[in-house]
Amino acid sequence: MPWSKQKALDLIRQLGVVSIVRVSSTEDAPRAVEAIVAGGLNVVEITMTVPNALRVLERVAGQMGDKVLIGGGTVLDPESCRAALLSGAEFIVTPSVNPTVIEMARRYGKVVIPGALTPTEIVLAWQSGADMVKIFPCEPVGGPRYLKALRSPFPHIEFVPTGGVDLKTTPEYIKAGAAAVAVGGELVSSAALREGRLDVITESARCYLEAVRLARETGR
């Protein structure tokens, strides 16, 4: 059963973490998703750089159904956006601002989170219809301090920082005003996948969720 746009947004906000699956193997991707979801983190973005990404999206959506909110990431053009949505993606993430991708996602009634870095790009993303804006790459340009600076002129826009976010900086991003963080290799360890240590990924998912919860509740 498809997720409503509001339900999808509510889950992203509630959990505060989007896990990014960017792996080099078609078979590793579903295994990574299962491990992440086992840790209670059921918002997963599968990037279009994964081999046979559309087939992976179809497989995960078919096997896990409404147990996971599955998204398509690194979407560069409207054709790829439509293909990802038809393959089961319930939200779309881009690395840059492409208004035609935003328009396509909105046409299908799905959440779209375009990537932006500068104030000008953020405004363009928002005016084009973004539901949230991914700040990418956030860590190299100042991390939580940069995000906090952006919050002053844009208090009405929900930010999802990514690019170098790890377990140590996650609470700092939440305290700086992030609606959620997006985490890739720091959560989905390629070494753990290679060694069959899916429990490592499951525990990592739990740790990120707990870090967000503590930062929101206690400011730590």
Side-chain angles (χ1 to χ4, degrees):
M1 182 178 178
W3 292 66
S4 71
K5 185 172 183 176
Q6 190 59 54
K7 185 180 177 183
L9 278 170
D10 287 346
L11 183 62
I12 294 170
R13 292 172 180 141
Q14 175 193 336
L15 296 184
V17 184
V18 176
S19 55
I20 303 170
V21 174
R22 187 188 301 276
V23 294
S24 57
S25 162
T26 300
E27 292 306 315
D28 277 346
R31 294 168 62 232
V33 173
E34 290 177 9
I36 293 164
V37 173
L41 177 46
N42 57 339
V43 178
V44 181
E45 168 193 339
I46 294 176
T47 70
M48 292 299 101
T49 58
V50 172
N52 301 304
L54 296 177
R55 195 170 72 192
V56 172
L57 278 170
E58 288 179 351
R59 178 175 168 183
V60 172
Q63 289 179 347
M64 306 199 75
D66 57 5
K67 292 180 181 178
V68 60
L69 177 67
I70 194 79
T74 319
V75 176
L76 302 178
D77 53 67
E79 293 79 16
S80 299
C81 177
R82 183 174 184 272
L85 294 170
L86 293 177
S87 297
E90 295 288 348
F91 66 97
I92 294 294
V93 183
T94 75
S96 59
V97 183
N98 184 333
T100 62
V101 173
I102 298 172
E103 179 186 358
M104 181 64 72
R106 289 174 62 84
R107 187 181 303 169
Y108 279 81
K110 300 302 181 183
V111 171
V112 58
I113 309 174
L117 186 62
T118 67
T120 300
E121 292 169 348
I122 291 166
V123 170
L124 176 59
W126 185 250
Q127 291 178 339
S128 299
D131 295 294
M132 294 174 159
V133 177
K134 179 175 86 169
I135 306 302
F136 172 79
C138 198
E139 193 65 28
V141 298
R145 289 178 61 195
Y146 182 67
L147 189 80
K148 187 174 182 179
L150 291 173
R151 291 294 299 158
S152 295
F154 305 120
H156 57 296
I157 300 178
E158 293 181 286
F159 292 142
V160 182
T162 186
V165 178
D166 59 24
L167 194 57
K168 180 181 178 181
T169 57
T170 288
E172 297 172 19
Y173 279 111
I174 296 298
K175 288 184 285 185
V181 297
V183 190
E186 293 83 359
L187 193 162
V188 184
S189 165
S190 56
L193 273 174
R194 190 168 55 249
E195 297 165 7
R197 295 287 310 282
L198 299 183
D199 58 307
V200 171
I201 297 172
T202 297
E203 181 58 26
S204 184
R206 292 194 184 103
C207 288
Y208 275 93
L209 289 172
E210 181 67 5
V212 169
R213 186 188 68 80
L214 282 175
R216 287 174 172 173
E217 291 184 359
T218 68
R220 291 194 285 114

